[in-house]
Amino acid sequence: MIKREIHIAYEEYDSIDELSTADRELAAEAIRAMQGVYAPYSNFHVGAAVLMSNGAIVHGANQENAAFPSGLCAERTAMFAAATRYPDEDMVGIALAGGMRGHLGKEPATPCGACRQVMAQYQAKSGKPMSIIMISADKVWKFEKVDDILPLIFNSI
Ligand code: THU
């Protein structure tokens, strides 16, 4: 038996102001995207913004439904809209911001497993790393690639 470890490195910033210009712009768009939230059941608001290889930024916000599973997270709303609008472009990065009733929490909102799997798919489609920025009121995390938030990605078919 060999004991193996998975090492994950990521960056932590005090605020989006510390990010590079491009990352700061994407992070600001994720916060702006929270305006599109429809979350009458959880009241948890999430905005997401996807940066495409042509420079375009596409918003998404969580959309809830009385039949709960019919709703969708902000990240997948953004990625599916981006893939539909720009089918021939790559997704270079995604940023998300979330909190109860639209107030950013102390810890960054982190993507659910299903959204990570969808990120993995679009990263595999492009063949290049897709970065992820997670934003809270007190700190910002940046991960360089989807592998870092979804180790042992399923990509067997
Ligand atoms: N939600 C997102 O939009 N993104 C996430 O990464 C986690 C959760 C939404 C789904 C639901 O509308 C609400 O937050 C509470 O789970």
Side-chain angles (χ1 to χ4, degrees), residues 37-39 41-47 61-65 71-77 96 109-113 115 119:
V37 166
Y38 176 57
Y41 301 102
S42 73
N43 289 309
F44 192 77
H45 294 195
V46 186
N62 54 324
Q63 304 296 319
E64 296 186 351
N65 192 280
L72 197 63
C73 292
E75 300 91 313
R76 273 176 289 164
T77 304
L96 62 135
T110 55
C112 79
C115 288
M119 289 174 196

Short mmCIF file of all heavy atoms in Angstrom, two decimals, residues 37-39 41-47 61-65 71-77 96 109-113 115 119, ligand 1:
data_model
loop_
_atom_site.label_atom_id
_atom_site.label_comp_id
_atom_site.label_asym_id
_atom_site.label_seq_id
_atom_site.Cartn_x
_atom_site.Cartn_y
_atom_site.Cartn_z
N VAL A 37 -30.61 37.50 -9.41
CA VAL A 37 -31.03 36.34 -8.60
C VAL A 37 -32.55 36.27 -8.46
O VAL A 37 -33.23 37.30 -8.30
CB VAL A 37 -30.39 36.43 -7.19
CG1 VAL A 37 -31.05 35.45 -6.23
CG2 VAL A 37 -28.89 36.18 -7.27
N TYR A 38 -33.07 35.04 -8.52
CA TYR A 38 -34.46 34.78 -8.13
C TYR A 38 -34.41 33.63 -7.13
O TYR A 38 -34.27 32.46 -7.52
CB TYR A 38 -35.31 34.43 -9.36
CG TYR A 38 -36.72 34.06 -9.02
CD1 TYR A 38 -37.55 34.95 -8.33
CD2 TYR A 38 -37.25 32.82 -9.38
CE1 TYR A 38 -38.86 34.61 -8.01
CE2 TYR A 38 -38.56 32.48 -9.07
CZ TYR A 38 -39.36 33.38 -8.38
OH TYR A 38 -40.65 33.04 -8.05
N ALA A 39 -34.42 33.95 -5.85
CA ALA A 39 -34.24 32.94 -4.81
C ALA A 39 -35.24 33.13 -3.68
O ALA A 39 -34.88 33.38 -2.52
CB ALA A 39 -32.80 33.00 -4.27
N TYR A 41 -37.01 31.02 -2.13
CA TYR A 41 -37.10 29.91 -1.16
C TYR A 41 -35.92 29.89 -0.20
O TYR A 41 -36.09 29.79 1.01
CB TYR A 41 -37.25 28.58 -1.91
CG TYR A 41 -38.49 28.60 -2.77
CD1 TYR A 41 -38.41 28.80 -4.15
CD2 TYR A 41 -39.75 28.51 -2.19
CE1 TYR A 41 -39.54 28.88 -4.93
CE2 TYR A 41 -40.91 28.60 -2.96
CZ TYR A 41 -40.80 28.79 -4.33
OH TYR A 41 -41.94 28.89 -5.08
N SER A 42 -34.71 30.00 -0.71
CA SER A 42 -33.53 29.96 0.18
C SER A 42 -33.10 31.35 0.62
O SER A 42 -32.42 31.49 1.65
CB SER A 42 -32.36 29.29 -0.55
OG SER A 42 -31.84 30.16 -1.54
N ASN A 43 -33.44 32.36 -0.17
CA ASN A 43 -32.94 33.73 0.06
C ASN A 43 -31.42 33.81 0.00
O ASN A 43 -30.83 34.81 0.43
CB ASN A 43 -33.44 34.29 1.40
CG ASN A 43 -34.91 34.61 1.35
OD1 ASN A 43 -35.35 35.29 0.43
ND2 ASN A 43 -35.66 34.11 2.30
N PHE A 44 -30.80 32.76 -0.50
CA PHE A 44 -29.34 32.78 -0.66
C PHE A 44 -29.05 33.25 -2.09
O PHE A 44 -29.46 32.60 -3.07
CB PHE A 44 -28.75 31.39 -0.41
CG PHE A 44 -27.25 31.40 -0.28
CD1 PHE A 44 -26.65 31.84 0.89
CD2 PHE A 44 -26.45 30.99 -1.34
CE1 PHE A 44 -25.26 31.86 1.01
CE2 PHE A 44 -25.06 31.01 -1.23
CZ PHE A 44 -24.47 31.45 -0.06
N HIS A 45 -28.38 34.37 -2.21
CA HIS A 45 -28.15 34.97 -3.51
C HIS A 45 -26.74 34.65 -4.02
O HIS A 45 -25.77 34.84 -3.28
CB HIS A 45 -28.30 36.49 -3.44
CG HIS A 45 -29.68 36.95 -3.12
ND1 HIS A 45 -30.09 38.25 -3.30
CD2 HIS A 45 -30.77 36.28 -2.65
CE1 HIS A 45 -31.37 38.37 -2.95
NE2 HIS A 45 -31.79 37.18 -2.54
N VAL A 46 -26.65 34.19 -5.25
CA VAL A 46 -25.34 33.91 -5.85
C VAL A 46 -25.29 34.53 -7.25
O VAL A 46 -26.22 34.37 -8.04
CB VAL A 46 -25.06 32.39 -5.97
CG1 VAL A 46 -23.64 32.13 -6.46
CG2 VAL A 46 -25.29 31.68 -4.63
N GLY A 47 -24.21 35.24 -7.50
CA GLY A 47 -23.96 35.77 -8.85
C GLY A 47 -22.70 35.12 -9.39
O GLY A 47 -21.77 34.83 -8.64
N ALA A 61 -27.13 33.94 -12.46
CA ALA A 61 -27.58 34.11 -11.08
C ALA A 61 -28.49 32.93 -10.75
O ALA A 61 -29.15 32.39 -11.66
CB ALA A 61 -28.34 35.43 -10.93
N ASN A 62 -28.51 32.53 -9.49
CA ASN A 62 -29.33 31.35 -9.18
C ASN A 62 -30.81 31.62 -9.37
O ASN A 62 -31.31 32.70 -9.06
CB ASN A 62 -29.03 30.78 -7.78
CG ASN A 62 -29.15 31.79 -6.65
OD1 ASN A 62 -28.82 32.94 -6.80
ND2 ASN A 62 -29.62 31.32 -5.51
N GLN A 63 -31.48 30.62 -9.92
CA GLN A 63 -32.90 30.71 -10.25
C GLN A 63 -33.61 29.56 -9.55
O GLN A 63 -33.32 28.39 -9.81
CB GLN A 63 -33.09 30.58 -11.77
CG GLN A 63 -32.31 31.60 -12.59
CD GLN A 63 -32.75 33.04 -12.34
OE1 GLN A 63 -33.94 33.32 -12.22
NE2 GLN A 63 -31.78 33.94 -12.25
N GLU A 64 -34.52 29.89 -8.65
CA GLU A 64 -35.20 28.84 -7.89
C GLU A 64 -36.62 28.60 -8.41
O GLU A 64 -37.16 29.41 -9.17
CB GLU A 64 -35.22 29.23 -6.40
CG GLU A 64 -33.79 29.28 -5.85
CD GLU A 64 -33.71 29.52 -4.35
OE1 GLU A 64 -34.75 29.83 -3.72
OE2 GLU A 64 -32.58 29.41 -3.82
N ASN A 65 -37.17 27.45 -7.99
CA ASN A 65 -38.46 27.04 -8.49
C ASN A 65 -39.22 26.32 -7.38
O ASN A 65 -38.60 25.65 -6.55
CB ASN A 65 -38.25 26.09 -9.69
CG ASN A 65 -39.53 25.83 -10.45
OD1 ASN A 65 -40.36 25.02 -10.04
ND2 ASN A 65 -39.70 26.53 -11.56
N GLY A 71 -34.81 24.31 -10.21
CA GLY A 71 -33.99 25.53 -10.16
C GLY A 71 -32.56 25.24 -10.58
O GLY A 71 -32.19 24.09 -10.83
N LEU A 72 -31.76 26.30 -10.68
CA LEU A 72 -30.36 26.10 -11.11
C LEU A 72 -29.45 27.11 -10.42
O LEU A 72 -29.83 28.27 -10.20
CB LEU A 72 -30.24 26.24 -12.63
CG LEU A 72 -28.96 25.67 -13.24
CD1 LEU A 72 -28.86 24.16 -13.03
CD2 LEU A 72 -28.88 25.98 -14.73
N CYS A 73 -28.23 26.65 -10.13
CA CYS A 73 -27.21 27.50 -9.50
C CYS A 73 -26.76 28.61 -10.46
O CYS A 73 -26.85 28.48 -11.68
CB CYS A 73 -25.99 26.67 -9.14
SG CYS A 73 -26.24 25.47 -7.85
N ALA A 74 -26.16 29.63 -9.86
CA ALA A 74 -25.65 30.76 -10.62
C ALA A 74 -24.56 30.33 -11.61
O ALA A 74 -24.54 30.78 -12.77
CB ALA A 74 -25.07 31.80 -9.66
N GLU A 75 -23.67 29.46 -11.15
CA GLU A 75 -22.53 29.08 -11.99
C GLU A 75 -22.97 28.35 -13.26
O GLU A 75 -22.49 28.62 -14.36
CB GLU A 75 -21.55 28.18 -11.22
CG GLU A 75 -20.98 28.82 -9.97
CD GLU A 75 -21.81 28.53 -8.73
OE1 GLU A 75 -23.04 28.68 -8.78
OE2 GLU A 75 -21.21 28.16 -7.71
N ARG A 76 -23.90 27.38 -13.07
CA ARG A 76 -24.35 26.66 -14.27
C ARG A 76 -25.20 27.55 -15.16
O ARG A 76 -25.15 27.46 -16.39
CB ARG A 76 -25.10 25.39 -13.88
CG ARG A 76 -24.14 24.21 -13.68
CD ARG A 76 -24.85 22.98 -13.20
NE ARG A 76 -25.29 23.14 -11.83
CZ ARG A 76 -26.19 22.37 -11.23
NH1 ARG A 76 -26.79 21.42 -11.91
NH2 ARG A 76 -26.52 22.57 -9.97
N THR A 77 -25.99 28.44 -14.56
CA THR A 77 -26.77 29.39 -15.36
C THR A 77 -25.81 30.20 -16.23
O THR A 77 -26.04 30.39 -17.43
CB THR A 77 -27.58 30.31 -14.43
OG1 THR A 77 -28.39 29.52 -13.58
CG2 THR A 77 -28.47 31.25 -15.21
N LEU A 96 -17.51 33.84 -8.68
CA LEU A 96 -18.82 33.79 -8.04
C LEU A 96 -18.80 34.52 -6.71
O LEU A 96 -17.77 34.60 -6.04
CB LEU A 96 -19.29 32.35 -7.85
CG LEU A 96 -18.46 31.44 -6.97
CD1 LEU A 96 -19.35 30.65 -6.04
CD2 LEU A 96 -17.65 30.49 -7.84
N ALA A 109 -18.50 32.05 -0.91
CA ALA A 109 -19.43 31.01 -1.36
C ALA A 109 -18.63 30.09 -2.29
O ALA A 109 -17.87 30.56 -3.13
CB ALA A 109 -20.59 31.66 -2.11
N THR A 110 -18.80 28.81 -2.10
CA THR A 110 -18.04 27.84 -2.90
C THR A 110 -18.99 27.05 -3.80
O THR A 110 -20.13 26.77 -3.41
CB THR A 110 -17.25 26.89 -1.98
OG1 THR A 110 -18.17 26.28 -1.07
CG2 THR A 110 -16.19 27.64 -1.19
N PRO A 111 -18.57 26.69 -4.99
CA PRO A 111 -19.47 26.03 -5.94
C PRO A 111 -19.87 24.63 -5.49
O PRO A 111 -19.05 23.90 -4.92
CB PRO A 111 -18.65 25.94 -7.23
CG PRO A 111 -17.40 26.70 -7.01
CD PRO A 111 -17.23 26.90 -5.55
N CYS A 112 -21.09 24.25 -5.77
CA CYS A 112 -21.56 22.90 -5.43
C CYS A 112 -20.89 21.88 -6.36
O CYS A 112 -20.27 22.24 -7.37
CB CYS A 112 -23.08 22.81 -5.55
SG CYS A 112 -23.69 22.63 -7.23
N GLY A 113 -21.01 20.62 -6.02
CA GLY A 113 -20.36 19.56 -6.79
C GLY A 113 -20.81 19.51 -8.24
O GLY A 113 -19.99 19.30 -9.15
N CYS A 115 -21.89 21.94 -10.10
CA CYS A 115 -21.30 23.06 -10.85
C CYS A 115 -19.82 22.80 -11.13
O CYS A 115 -19.32 23.14 -12.20
CB CYS A 115 -21.48 24.37 -10.09
SG CYS A 115 -23.20 24.97 -10.10
N MET A 119 -18.00 22.78 -14.71
CA MET A 119 -16.75 23.52 -14.99
C MET A 119 -15.71 22.59 -15.60
O MET A 119 -15.02 22.95 -16.57
CB MET A 119 -16.18 24.10 -13.68
CG MET A 119 -16.96 25.23 -13.10
SD MET A 119 -16.26 25.69 -11.48
CE MET A 119 -17.61 26.66 -10.81
N1 THU B 1 -26.36 28.06 -5.18
C1 THU B 1 -25.70 28.57 -6.25
O1 THU B 1 -26.26 29.31 -7.05
N2 THU B 1 -24.40 28.25 -6.39
C2 THU B 1 -23.69 27.47 -5.54
O2 THU B 1 -22.53 27.22 -5.78
C3 THU B 1 -24.33 26.91 -4.36
C4 THU B 1 -25.77 27.16 -4.21
C5 THU B 1 -27.76 28.40 -5.01
C6 THU B 1 -28.73 27.29 -5.27
C7 THU B 1 -29.91 27.71 -4.44
O3 THU B 1 -30.71 28.61 -5.22
C8 THU B 1 -29.31 28.49 -3.30
O4 THU B 1 -27.99 28.83 -3.69
C9 THU B 1 -29.27 27.72 -2.00
O5 THU B 1 -28.65 26.49 -2.16
#
